[in-house]
Amino acid sequence: MIRIYPDLEALSYAAADLFADEARQAIQSRGRFTVALAGGSTPRRAYELLARDPFREQVPWQSTHIFWGDERCVPADDPRNNALMARQALLDHVPVPPEQIHPMVCNSSPLGAAVAYETLLRSIFTAGCPRFDLVLLGLGENGHTASLFPGTSVLDEQQRWVGEVYLAEEGQHRLTLTTAAINQAALVVFLVSGSDKAPILRKVLKGAQDPRSIPAQLIKPVDGGLLWLVDRDAARQLRQRKE
Ligand code: 6PG
């Protein structure tokens, strides 16, 4: 399902509204809301809107558990840190109990950090699969999502829920939920904005299946929902006829 919005502001408002709805429904039926946040820049505005009324008052923050889909292995105060962005835009402004905020901390060995985060997840998702109520994802221009990058071995991981990846082009490691984990979610929502993303969005949604080159194509929830919230600039090539 693809929903197209006039611009990033409208897209972000819709994402905040969806987040609030999913939170209320999850807490009403299961007593808690587990959400994995996306990093990068696109979701920032949605996070900022969630920190303000009307959404701030709509979300039962006390029963909300915050995770991340991926993290760069940089210090917590590094501007590239995904958890830092979410704290500044949202978490420092809403009453989620600190013990329910679970950043990926990757200052030890990347493998050790991935194992530690998976251990945490397995202590929370005790039914044997990480069924997040909501996973938010972005889309990179090269087809990556979370830190599932083209041609990396973590794409093949079917057992682990959290993997580590070295990105030579960035000279740094990252941690990421694996596709095995993400695809167990009750709902996965991509947020995609801007004309720069138009070519890759067309490839992901309309192009040939090539998931090793376009990892976002690996995101196929086993029995959950998949929703694309995109703005008009990002969607501009979706209606074009084939070349
Ligand atoms: C990250 C993200 C990554 C991001 C895409 C899109 O840590 O970089 O998790 O997957 O969602 O790169 O980033 P933008 O929203 O900044 O375009």
Side-chain angles (χ1 to χ4, degrees), residues 52-73:
R52 293 163 177 73
D53 290 343
F55 301 114
R56 188 182 193 282
E57 295 310 310
Q58 290 179 11
V59 178
W61 299 106
Q62 294 298 331
S63 304
T64 296
H65 299 253
I66 303 284
F67 304 85
W68 274 266
D70 73 323
E71 187 56 274
R72 297 88 176 271
C73 290

Side-chain angles (χ1 to χ4, degrees), residues 38-43 70 72 82 137-140 144-147 174 197:
S41 57
T42 302
D70 73 323
R72 297 88 176 271
N82 288 334
L137 293 174
L139 177 65
H144 82 263
T145 189
S147 282
R174 292 188 176 210
K197 301 291 176 74

Side-chain angles (χ1 to χ4, degrees), residues 207-218:
Q209 283 298 302
D210 184 6
R212 287 205 63 78
S213 305
I214 312 174
Q217 289 183 335
L218 290 168

Side-chain angles (χ1 to χ4, degrees), residues 14-57:
D17 193 35
L18 177 145
F19 183 110
D21 275 351
E22 292 301 317
R24 285 196 302 271
Q25 287 175 35
I27 292 163
Q28 200 162 357
S29 52
R30 290 181 298 282
R32 73 178 186 183
F33 174 52
T34 56
V35 55
L37 299 181
S41 57
T42 302
R44 177 192 287 274
R45 184 58 184 147
Y47 299 164
E48 290 171 349
L49 290 170
L50 281 165
R52 293 163 177 73
D53 290 343
F55 301 114
R56 188 182 193 282
E57 295 310 310

Side-chain angles (χ1 to χ4, degrees), residues 198-199 202 206 233 235-243:
R202 176 184 168 86
K206 306 282 187 185
D233 284 344
R236 66 175 51 182
Q237 294 187 15
L238 290 184
R239 295 190 185 83
Q240 281 174 1
R241 294 186 179 290
K242 283 190 181 302
E243 279 86 25

